Every structure is written in C-alpha cells, then in structure tokens.
Amino acid sequence: MTERLAVDIGGTFVDAITFDRSTRDVTVEKASTTPDEPESGVLSSIEKVGTTLEDTEAFVHGTTLGLNAVLEREGAATGIITNEGFKDVYEIGRTNVERESMYDIRYQKPESIVARRRRVGVPGRLNANGKEVEPLDDDAIRDAAAQLIEDQDVDGIAVCFLHSYRNPAHEREAARIVREAYPDVSVSISSDITREYREYERTSTAVMDAYIKPIFETYIDSLDSELTDEGFNAPFFVTRSGGGTLTADSATDAPVHTILSGPAGGLIGASNVGRETGRDDLITVDMGGTSLDACVIEDGTPAVKYDSRLEHQPLMIPVYDIRTIGAGGGSIAWLDGELLKVGPQSAGADPGPVAYGHGGTEPTVTDAAVALGYIDPDDFLGGDMELDADGAKAAIDKTLAEPLDSSVTDVSRGVFDVTLANTVGAIREITIEKGLDPREFSMMAFGGAGPMFVPLLAREMGVEEVVVPRAPSVFSALGMLMADVVYDFARTNIEALIDLELSDLETTFDELDTEALETLTDEGFEEDEVDLEHTLEMRYLGQEHTVEVDANGIETIDEVSDRFEDKHEDRYGHAMDDPPEVVHQRVRAIGRNDKPPLEREEPVDGTPEPIGSREAYCFAADERTAFDVYDRSDLRSGISVDGPAVVREPTTTIVFHSDQAATVDEYGQLVISGGDAQ
C-alpha cells in the first residue's frame, strides 16, 4: 500500500486528494458538502477521486465539525464538576469586556455555554504545590454526576479542579467515578488537555472539549465504520489546530485540539512549500465558500498561540494564529439602510449562491464574481456544474442595485471593495498591529476563491507578489498530506531564572521528552523518526503575559536570559532590568511522515496563445475590458503572461488585472506581481 488520502470538509465543498508514494502522482477532486450527514460528503469525494480504500496506507482528515458546533451553539448539553465554592469561576471569568465592545454602553455579556444549574462543586482540595489538603469526596462526585445527568440531562461533563496542572490525581479519580456510573456520558478533564495554570482558562478549555465531544465521537465513529465497510484498514489521522496530525482515537479523546483542523491544513502546506521555494515569510490567505482565513508565516513557521479565543471562550491549546472573517464565496451581500455589507452570513452549500440554481435568493460574492465576468458559468468545476449567470445578475439587480439606484456592475464591484476592506482589517491585526510590515511578505493564495481574490488584495496592500500553488482549491487537503504527527506537552513551574540551575530545566524537559517518545512510539514511530522541540515561555517579574523562547541547544542559564531578552526586544522593541522568570516548559514531539514532493519543471520558451477572451471588470483600468483566458495546464515553467487575464483550472479561477503579470516558477506555481507594489 503506497497511497495516502486526505479529505478536507469546507462550508461549501469537500476536497479530496491522493498521493501515491511509488509513482509520486497527485489526484484531486471536489464534492458538495452535506451538512446534515457530513460523512456522506466525505465518501462522495473519495469516490470521485477514484482511490481504492483497500490500497490506502493512511487517511488524513480535516473537519470544522467542532468549530461549527460552537459557532452555531449546537454542541452537547454540558455540565461542570469543580471544587466546592468555585462553581462560578467559569461564568465570572476575568470580568473583562471584549476589546471590540470596550466602549459599547449596550454591551451584554454572551450567554454562558453552561448554565449555573449545570455546575456543581464538590469537597476535595489540592494546594498550589499539588499536595492534598482535603480528600476528594467520592460520594459527592457520584451525587454530582447523578444531578447533572439524571436531572439536567447533560451529555458531556467537564471536570476541572484547582491546581490539577500540578497533580491530576483528583481529576482522574473523579472521571473514573463518573465513567463507572455512567459509561455512555462523555467526560473531559482539564489536566488531560493542558497541564498549565489559570483555572478559568483550563475550565473553559475543558468545557469546550466536553461541548463538542459527543458530536465529534459520533461523527468519527460513523465515518470510521463506513470507511471500514469500504475496505479501509489503515491509520486514520485528524489534523490538529496547532499543526500536525493526531490519531482519530486521540482526537476523540480530546477533540478540542481539532477545532480549527480545516484551516490548519493549508498552513502546514504553505510552510512546507514556502521553505522549499525560499519564501520563509508569507501571509497565507485561504478563501473558501464560507470564510476567509489569514495567517502569518515567519521564518518558515506559522504563528502559534497558546491562549486563543473562540466565540469569547478562552482556549489553552496550541492553535495557529489565524484571523477568520465571514468573507467567502458564499458570503451574502446585503444592505444596512444604504450601506452595502458582505457577510458574515453565508449561503453555504445549501442553497448556496444564486448562480448555483439550488434555490438561493440572496446575492453572494460568487454571484458578484459571475456578474463581473471572472467566473465562466459554462465551465464551473471543470464543467461539472453549470451556473445561472442571468439569475445571479437579476438577484444583484433586485436586492442591491435597484435600492441603491446603481448598476449591477458597480454594485458587484462594491461587493469586492467591501470584502477587500474587511480582509485588509483582518490582515492588519496579524501584521501591522504586531510590528510587521505586510509589504515585506509574499502572499500565498489558496481555497476555491483565493486565486480570484488575493491578487486584488495584494494590489490594495502593496504586497510585491502573490504565489498561487498547484491545486490551490484543494491546497488545505494537500497540506494535510504534508503533515507530520504532532503532540504537545507542557508543564507550568513559575520560577525566577536567577533561582534555577540549568539542570532544573533539563530535568523537566527529560520528563516531557520521555512522555513524548512513549506517545509516538506507541503510534509506530521509531526513535530516529521523532524530532523533539524545546521551548520556554518567559516574562519579566510582574508581567502578565509571556514570550516564547527557543530552548534547543541551551548550555547555560545566562544563554537562556540572553535569548529571552533578544526575543522580548524583538517583540516589544525594548528589554528591561527586571529579573526574568520561567512560566512554562514545552516540548513539541514530531513523528515525521513521507510527504508529497514539489516537482521541478524544465523551463520552456515562448508564451502559449490564449484559449479565448471574455469581457470582465479590471480594477486597474476601472472599467470592463477584454481579459485573455488561459488554461493553467498550458502555463509551464518559465512562461510569463501579462494581465488582464483569467487562468482557468478545473476547480478554481485565477484573476489578475492590467497592471499585473504572472510568471510560472520552476515548481509550476503562478507568481503574480505588479500593481501598486511596483
């Protein structure tokens, strides 16, 4: 068995891709998302890509099932068991107001996922060093479980006790008691997910895990069963939110780690492609049917956060620092009085944009693209789907153009302008607001709508080049095939650096290394196939937040201090005289997988003739004009094409304007430059 399979579920389409390690061939296909039965869309995409599951050596999956459950508030009924007197920690939180609502006098705190009646405190206590000061009351645990399950009908329970990051014994005992009494109820304990301090954030993370766990378990079990019925008998992996993959069994144990697994695939692919092609600094823009995801890659590594937020809920897990906005191809354009807005509402896969002809009535970004001439209605998805261009234009005219006393073309351009403004704001958050100049980065465009939109975004932001990789519409799925198996391990131990010996740090790292190696060895990796990356999270005494410091190859405590000060100065522009302290030690364990290669092409001379021409709107010329149309399979390494032009692919469309040009690099990638960047 030499074939690896990856499937990524998006809001509108399911992307499938196979990689044969013996022939090095890659095959891609798309199928419609089936929101009510997501596994059906997965199986349809696998059937379309033509793989034989009996001959598949591994399956990697990315899904937004958990994310959608949170965003749509459709997770399981969840309860909390915690220390007596602390059941309101989850609701009180940090008592802070969201940044964007700081000056909103009408601000109302979002409704809690776990109602107060579903939170129970029980006797039992550990001190800050993890020593037991009050034994856990086993009978109280049984009574709490009965109250939550029998009286409150919860399907998942989050267990979070004070200081369990030091000593998980009480949490594990509570989980054992609940599972013994109610084996059909999902239990999530905070210390299994993260061994770090901050009781509110740990509780919130455990709650989020418990909230999606029953749904995720049901889906993965159902999909695994159907794959097995089709002859699949190989490892099944799920992409992690912070990079890499983990086994499906591990994912169902702690599904919160997969909550952003879909967007993570694209970042894994982008970082690999960037390193191979000498582009270590990238801004990735993944524009699909429902949303747009942007992330920064510096020095070949995507930015990772350990204190992210989702729907006002803190998450204490490694997550790529992605900014997501409702700006996909299916995002609905609407009027707020006379103000044109786009998203965050989406037409999704059902009914989809008006042009799909599946009953949609509200115009979307895709409908605007059809009206502007960017998408050929007779060649959508390689001709598998015929679009209703007249219906799309009629909907734009009736819903937007007539109320604004404007034309379909002007309003459609406005839809793109609004989407641009929303996207520029999201990218500023992850670049300019962090001291980075986006003009010093390349952009990588992928997702079904990314190659059409991102060259326009680059013009707006003065970015010098846009890289459109091979198979951009299924690039997140391709990235999943490039993913290694990754686990993260951490310990909190707050100590002033001056009070530590290097051996103290080494002892903790050795313990984490042992745990990491055991985990990957159990999953079939040899020791020489495992990489261990050490980091420290440090701060100055009196600070609240930390910076991450590379701890690989450290030989002295002074070197730790120097690395921290360099990192702090790089991040904040200054160092301080206050003593530094270590807060967390982290180990990332990586089990290396064989990855699809980037095949080089021999350059060719000359430029192929366009396969046609069509009228479309050019943002550089500010008018409709003739765009040359090319087939991407005709654009070989070394070829250059001047804009305005449309490049067709079976599953996406690449658009660049009259002040831009595209060159095909040695890896077959389209590199678009020009515009305001010049």
Side-chain angles (χ1 to χ4, degrees), residues 164-244:
S164 59
Y165 68 92
R166 288 283 198 186
N167 180 357
H170 279 191
E171 284 192 352
R172 291 176 179 172
E173 176 64 9
R176 184 194 65 77
I177 293 169
V178 175
R179 289 168 178 151
E180 188 177 85
Y182 301 96
D184 295 331
V185 173
S186 295
V187 181
S188 300
I189 67 174
S190 74
S191 55
D192 274 357
I193 303 169
T194 178
R195 294 288 295 275
E196 298 177 30
Y197 80 139
R198 299 182 188 277
E199 71 283 355
Y200 165 55
E201 287 77 6
R202 271 192 302 110
T203 301
S204 176
T205 306
V207 165
M208 203 68 77
D209 191 77
Y211 189 64
I212 66 174
K213 197 170 190 174
I215 297 169
F216 193 85
E217 284 179 334
T218 300
Y219 167 67
I220 292 296
D221 289 347
S222 174
L223 178 59
D224 192 27
S225 176
E226 296 201 36
L227 291 172
T228 301
D229 291 343
E230 295 291 327
F232 178 72
N233 184 28
F236 178 2
F237 298 100
V238 179
T239 316
R240 300 169 74 253
S241 302

Side-chain angles (χ1 to χ4, degrees), residues 13 31 78 88 102 169 176 221 377 454 471 475 500 513 555 570 583 596:
F13 291 105
T78 304
D88 291 326
M102 189 177 298
R176 184 194 65 77
D221 289 347
V454 178
F475 190 71
L500 287 172
D513 286 349
E555 297 181 355
D570 183 55
V583 179

Side-chain angles (χ1 to χ4, degrees), residues 130-460:
K131 303 294 184 181
E132 184 177 85
V133 295
E134 181 183 1
L136 187 66
D137 190 327
D138 292 1
D139 291 334
I141 295 291
R142 295 186 185 93
D143 292 343
Q147 176 184 336
L148 293 172
I149 296 166
E150 297 177 14
D151 299 342
Q152 298 298 327
D153 297 321
V154 305
D155 300 309
I157 293 177
V159 180
C160 187
F161 293 142
L162 294 176
H163 312 305
S164 59
Y165 68 92
R166 288 283 198 186
N167 180 357
H170 279 191
E171 284 192 352
R172 291 176 179 172
E173 176 64 9
R176 184 194 65 77
I177 293 169
V178 175
R179 289 168 178 151
E180 188 177 85
Y182 301 96
D184 295 331
V185 173
S186 295
V187 181
S188 300
I189 67 174
S190 74
S191 55
D192 274 357
I193 303 169
T194 178
R195 294 288 295 275
E196 298 177 30
Y197 80 139
R198 299 182 188 277
E199 71 283 355
Y200 165 55
E201 287 77 6
R202 271 192 302 110
T203 301
S204 176
T205 306
V207 165
M208 203 68 77
D209 191 77
Y211 189 64
I212 66 174
K213 197 170 190 174
I215 297 169
F216 193 85
E217 284 179 334
T218 300
Y219 167 67
I220 292 296
D221 289 347
S222 174
L223 178 59
D224 192 27
S225 176
E226 296 201 36
L227 291 172
T228 301
D229 291 343
E230 295 291 327
F232 178 72
N233 184 28
F236 178 2
F237 298 100
V238 179
T239 316
R240 300 169 74 253
S241 302
T245 64
L246 67 169
T247 64
D249 287 343
S250 296
T252 54
D253 286 342
V256 71
H257 286 292
T258 71
I259 209 158
L260 291 173
S261 70
L267 294 174
I268 295 167
S271 57
N272 275 282
V273 170
R275 284 193 294 267
E276 287 287 326
T277 61
R279 295 180 177 90
D280 289 340
D281 296 328
L282 289 167
I283 298 171
T284 64
V285 184
D286 177 3
M287 188 176 185
T290 304
S291 62
L292 182 148
D293 303 312
C295 185
V296 169
I297 296 176
E298 278 192 280
D299 298 325
T301 304
V304 176
K305 300 191 300 182
Y306 295 92
D307 56 350
S308 60
R309 301 183 72 82
L310 178 63
E311 283 289 280
H312 312 291
Q313 308 291 319
L315 289 176
M316 197 179 281
I317 57 172
V319 174
Y320 281 141
D321 188 8
I322 299 170
R323 289 298 182 274
T324 300
I325 60 173
S331 295
I332 294 170
W334 54 287
L335 294 178
D336 183 3
E338 294 186 354
L339 185 64
L340 178 63
K341 294 189 174 182
V342 179
Q345 305 90 343
S346 174
D350 185 17
V354 177
Y356 286 7
H358 295 161
T361 59
E362 298 176 287
T364 66
V365 173
T366 294
D367 295 310
V370 171
L372 291 173
Y374 300 147
I375 297 176
D376 184 350
D378 298 323
D379 192 51
F380 192 66
L381 293 183
D384 286 350
M385 179 187 291
E386 185 175 341
L387 299 183
D388 180 6
D390 291 337
K393 294 174 185 176
I396 293 171
D397 189 35
K398 178 181 178 181
T399 307
L400 304 175
E402 287 185 5
L404 294 174
D405 192 22
S406 186
S407 68
V408 169
T409 294
D410 286 345
V411 167
S412 298
R413 176 194 165 127
V415 170
F416 270 68
D417 283 335
V418 172
T419 306
L420 271 174
N422 293 340
T423 308
V424 168
I427 292 178
R428 284 178 62 91
E429 290 183 18
I430 56 176
T431 55
I432 294 172
E433 292 185 12
K434 294 189 174 181
L436 303 175
D437 186 345
R439 295 171 297 182
E440 297 176 356
F441 289 72
S442 300
M443 278 187 175
M444 184 169 286
F446 51 93
M452 174 186 68
F453 178 76
V454 178
L456 194 58
L457 176 65
R459 290 183 73 256
E460 185 75 13

Side-chain angles (χ1 to χ4, degrees), residues 7 20 62 70 99 115 178 185 289 319 336 341 378 398 401 451 490 495 529 572 577 587 589 591 653:
V7 176
D20 191 314
V70 175
R99 179 180 176 184
V178 175
V185 173
V319 174
D336 183 3
K341 294 189 174 182
D378 298 323
K398 178 181 178 181
E495 294 282 352
E529 298 174 319
Y572 298 110
D577 294 329
V587 170
T653 299

Side-chain angles (χ1 to χ4, degrees), residues 62-142:
T63 174
T64 56
L65 187 71
L67 175 64
N68 292 340
V70 175
L71 296 179
E72 297 167 11
R73 285 293 191 269
E74 293 183 353
T78 304
I80 296 174
I81 296 177
T82 187
N83 297 100
E84 191 172 51
F86 288 85
K87 71 177 185 179
D88 291 326
V89 162
Y90 178 64
E91 184 168 352
I92 294 170
R94 297 295 170 198
T95 69
N96 58 314
V97 175
E98 298 295 324
R99 179 180 176 184
E100 59 271 19
S101 302
M102 189 177 298
Y103 302 106
D104 184 358
I105 61 173
R106 296 169 294 181
Y107 172 77
Q108 295 290 322
K109 188 173 182 177
E111 184 178 349
S112 175
I113 285 179
V114 183
R116 196 169 194 269
R117 65 181 182 277
R118 290 177 172 166
R119 306 194 295 260
V120 182
V122 297
R125 193 69 172 271
L126 303 173
N127 67 16
N129 294 318
K131 303 294 184 181
E132 184 177 85
V133 295
E134 181 183 1
L136 187 66
D137 190 327
D138 292 1
D139 291 334
I141 295 291
R142 295 186 185 93

Side-chain angles (χ1 to χ4, degrees), residues 4 245 481-486 520 524-532 589-595:
R4 295 172 63 84
T245 64
L481 290 181
M482 298 179 181
D484 294 314
V485 176
V486 177
L520 287 176
F525 287 92
E526 300 294 332
E527 191 166 332
D528 61 358
E529 298 174 319
V530 175
D531 293 326
L532 300 176
I590 302 169
R592 296 189 301 277
N593 280 323
D594 192 12
K595 302 172 179 61

